[in-house]
């Protein structure tokens, strides 16, 4: 029982010191939200550069540099830009890609907004309940054990 209490305390300390709810949010899909949102911003930046008559390859590399994206964002955007035409229709195509990434990020955020509070309540509430039960019932069980021993 003491081991379970120590485990509950370790979980609470881990949540406290390793980023709190943001670490838990990244485990529950928050990282995907960040990647999709950053992808939408990168594509919007690339679209703005293409509209101002910059070639698509240069706009893509500059857009990634300006947004400060990571490798997974670049892979998603490059995969989406593979069939992108050059010229006037590129801006429309980029707008569609940016809207897609934004919609996916919005969907992820809606799911995260529902799942994260439920998970936080379950994890923290369960840990607090476990610590409370152990603090109350361990002494009672110990007392009952001592009372059941034969007297002198």
């Amino acid at each position: 029982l003491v081991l379970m209490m120590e485990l509950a305390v370790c979980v609470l300390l881990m949540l406290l010191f390793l980023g709190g709810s943001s670490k838990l949010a990244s485990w529950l899909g928050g990282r995907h939200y960040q990647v999709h949102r950053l992808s939408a911003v990168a594509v919007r930046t690339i679209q703005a550069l293409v509209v101002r008559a910059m070639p698509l390859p240069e706009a893509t590399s500059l857009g990634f540099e300006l947004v400060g994206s990571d490798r997974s964002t670049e892979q998603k955007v490059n995969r989406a830009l593979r069939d992108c035409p050059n010229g006037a229709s590129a801006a429309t195509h980029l707008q569609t890609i940016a809207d897609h990434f934004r919609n996916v990020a919005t969907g992820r955020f809606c799911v995260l907004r529902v799942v994260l509070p439920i998970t936080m309540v379950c994890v923290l509430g369960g840990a607090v309940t476990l610590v409370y039960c152990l603090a109350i019932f361990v002494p009672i069980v110990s007392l009952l054990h001592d009372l059941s021993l034969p007297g002198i």
Side-chain angles (χ1 to χ4, degrees):
L1 292 175
V2 174
L3 180 65
M4 291 175 64
M5 189 169 87
E6 290 175 2
L7 180 67
V9 170
C10 287
V11 168
L12 287 174
L13 289 175
M14 183 184 74
L15 282 175
L16 179 66
F17 291 119
L18 294 180
S21 61
S22 64
K23 192 67 157 179
L24 186 61
S26 67
W27 290 341
L28 294 175
R31 177 74 183 129
H32 295 292
Y33 166 75
Q34 292 172 345
V35 168
H36 284 98
R37 191 69 181 152
L38 194 60
S39 299
V41 171
V43 172
R44 294 264 183 192
T45 305
I46 293 167
Q47 178 194 11
L49 294 171
V50 166
V51 166
R52 285 165 181 71
M54 183 179 280
L56 187 62
E58 292 176 21
T60 303
S61 63
L62 187 59
F64 290 142
E65 187 177 327
L66 289 173
V67 172
S69 62
D70 57 349
R71 184 177 174 160
S72 59
T73 304
E74 291 180 16
Q75 288 175 348
K76 282 190 178 302
V77 173
N78 284 332
R79 203 174 314 127
L81 291 177
R82 188 176 14 196
D83 298 326
C84 184
N86 283 328
S89 62
T92 307
H93 189 73
L94 289 168
Q95 177 71 32
T96 306
I97 293 171
D99 289 341
H100 167 72
F101 282 131
R102 192 191 61 206
N103 290 337
V104 171
T106 302
R108 290 273 186 182
F109 184 70
C110 289
V111 168
L112 192 63
R113 202 170 47 188
V114 170
V115 171
L116 185 63
I118 293 170
T119 306
M120 290 290 292
V121 165
C122 289
V123 168
L124 295 177
V128 168
T129 303
L130 178 66
V131 168
Y132 178 75
C133 289
L134 291 175
I136 295 296
F137 291 117
V138 167
I140 291 174
V141 169
S142 176
L143 178 65
L144 289 174
H145 182 268
D146 289 343
L147 287 175
S148 67
L149 295 175
I152 297 179

